[in-house]
Amino acid sequence: MTTQQLIEQIKIKKSFLCVGLDVDLNKIPQSFLTLEDPIFEFNKAIIDATHDLAVAYKPNTAFFEAYGIKGWMSLQKTINYINENYPNIFTIADAKRGDIGNTSSMYAKAFFEDLNFDSITVAPYMGKDSVEPFLAFENKHTIMLALTSNEGAFDFQTLDVDGTELYKRVLETSKTWKNSANLMYVVGATKAEYFTEIRKIVPDSFLLVPGVGAQGGSLSEVCKYGMNANVGLLINSSRGIIYASKEADFAEKARAEALKIQQEMAAILESK
Amino acid sequence: MTTQQLIEQIKIKKSFLCVGLDVDLNKIPQSFLTLEDPIFEFNKAIIDATHDLAVAYKPNTAFFEAYGIKGWMSLQKTINYINENYPNIFTIADAKRGDIGNTSSMYAKAFFEDLNFDSITVAPYMGKDSVEPFLAFENKHTIMLALTSNEGAFDFQTLDVDGTELYKRVLETSKTWKNSANLMYVVGATKAEYFTEIRKIVPDSFLLVPGVGAQGGSLSEVCKYGMNANVGLLINSSRGIIYASKEADFAEKARAEALKIQQEMAAILESK
């Protein structure tokens, strides 16, 4: 999917919601556990219930890998289901990969070609040659960690390097890489004021924003400081939506939660 | 495997060699391609030919993931084969994972429990709560990126933060984390002098060292500056060993390459 197509979908759906698919078998309706592939069936139900309210889905690879080969089959079925039934959805493999060049190429092949995701999250620590192999794929997007939403973000990401914070240096440096137009960034919602500074460095890039809702971030604050002319934001919610209920009404309740966020987003888009 | 058991194996084998299993189907004898599981069969042949010369094997997960579910089956068969046939081998999942707490827990479960690796490589960018879930596993080891061997290492890892380099700050900070005794570190061999500084910060930790041989690092230099009383080094070689030949004699040639390194290691250990 091209960035332009993503922007169009945001306008059509009046939504920039991304639903995170982090399936923990302990937290889903226990009736699913008797099915052959509970993870896929749960994802399918969530996707069917929310696809018109969300522009993106983000399966978190850890939650699939934890179940070994069965988990990878669930991941493959989930991405195939989205691509076949909802081709206008932007898909994100939340994998946080990154390694030396030839290894990153293998990861890119795995997620962009074999699984056919539109995008993947990557970690910046190993620098340019660990990220550029991902950037080489046309109409695929590489979402690099900049400032994450967890407590540990302040261990290294906000350290002062030559008068600027490390995450800003990461943003600045990444702009010089080959095919950097294919970059997006992960920026946590926990401190909305950071978005002002970030937008000075990457005014046009899409930002994937975790941490709204359950983790304490405010949607309106993030939009106030982070939105650009093309919206430029994908707001992720995982647990708040997919675990809205553990009962038979889980899909209905997930839809209700997604609708609440989508309506808030529609109002924000209208007011701009 | 405990650290003490690893140290014993190093003494018994007079070796601190780790063989990296990064199988690229284009680089192995093409006769393997007709087999049902070429990656596993190739790994098995390499392991059988080198197990008495190496103390560790390091499958690189990217090279398995690139082949989807089949690749994960090869990974599972490879780790099972090592655990069943060579239980004294230290196994490393070279996965470079790291995410928010509950997600890191899922990765730890995947690699330590489901696949039963002794250790996993992780990335530090997301800080304490992204690494501690791995450290909670008893007799499992978490090998965190400090200073990598690729060119991009100098993009961020060596930046000056408050008068010290970022990778040193990463080392220092990680020592304060819970169960930090379960940490080891990735330190590239490309600049052996760095080891002097690193040993001031983590005198007792094991260091996993890529970049010797093909990538230009010198074994004797790394040992001179990096070795401690318990050796404290695992020197990785991947391509130099597993791709020593593409012909029918590949296993024999791999053994010859491993033997060359092991003999050099034995001489170094003897001279200490």
Side-chain angles (χ1 to χ4, degrees), chain A residues 96-212:
Chain A
K96 307 212 169 61
R97 298 296 196 265
D99 207 311
I100 61 170
N102 70 327
T103 304
S104 278
S105 294
M106 294 305 261
Y107 280 128
K109 184 177 165 331
F111 288 98
F112 289 157
E113 289 183 353
D114 187 59
L115 291 169
N116 198 18
F117 275 93
D118 290 313
S119 67
I120 183 174
T121 57
V122 303
Y125 193 71
M126 293 181 68
K128 174 176 165 161
D129 54 317
S130 71
V131 179
E132 279 190 345
F134 293 99
L135 300 178
F137 287 73
E138 215 175 335
N139 294 332
K140 299 287 184 180
H141 308 267
T142 304
I143 310 177
M144 192 163 77
L145 299 181
L147 184 62
T148 57
S149 60
N150 64 319
E151 203 189 310
F154 304 99
D155 283 334
F156 307 121
Q157 297 166 26
T158 53
L159 287 180
D160 183 86
V161 287
D162 307 323
T164 189
E165 284 121 313
L166 176 60
Y167 75 92
K168 290 186 192 167
R169 181 66 173 260
V170 164
L171 289 169
E172 276 161 10
T173 301
S174 70
K175 288 168 68 179
T176 67
W177 295 344
K178 199 175 172 187
N179 298 313
S180 63
N182 292 336
L183 276 169
M184 300 180 173
Y185 301 95
V186 174
V187 178
T190 36
K191 294 211 174 178
E193 302 77 25
Y194 282 108
F195 282 86
T196 309
E197 294 293 304
I198 288 166
R199 277 301 181 206
K200 287 182 190 161
I201 308 169
V202 287
D204 301 324
S205 304
F206 260 87
L207 308 178
L208 173 63
V209 184
V212 164

Side-chain angles (χ1 to χ4, degrees), chain A residues 61-62 65 68-69 72-73 76 96-97 99 107 114 124-126 128-129 146 150 152 155-157 159 161, chain B residues 61-62 65 68-69 72-73 76 96-97 99 107 114 124-126 128-129 146 150 152 155-157 161 169:
Chain A
T61 55
E65 287 181 19
I69 289 157
W72 267 78
M73 289 177 72
Q76 190 148 66
K96 307 212 169 61
R97 298 296 196 265
D99 207 311
Y107 280 128
D114 187 59
Y125 193 71
M126 293 181 68
K128 174 176 165 161
D129 54 317
N150 64 319
D155 283 334
F156 307 121
Q157 297 166 26
L159 287 180
V161 287
Chain B
T61 55
E65 287 180 20
I69 289 158
W72 267 79
M73 288 176 72
Q76 189 148 65
K96 307 212 169 63
R97 299 296 196 266
D99 206 312
Y107 280 128
D114 188 58
Y125 193 72
M126 293 182 69
K128 174 175 166 164
D129 53 316
N150 63 320
D155 284 333
F156 307 121
Q157 297 167 25
V161 287
R169 181 66 173 260

Side-chain angles (χ1 to χ4, degrees), chain A residues 252-263:
Chain A
E252 203 178 308
K253 286 281 164 65
R255 179 174 177 81
E257 284 303 315
L259 183 64
K260 219 185 287 176
I261 300 173
Q262 185 273 326
Q263 286 176 337

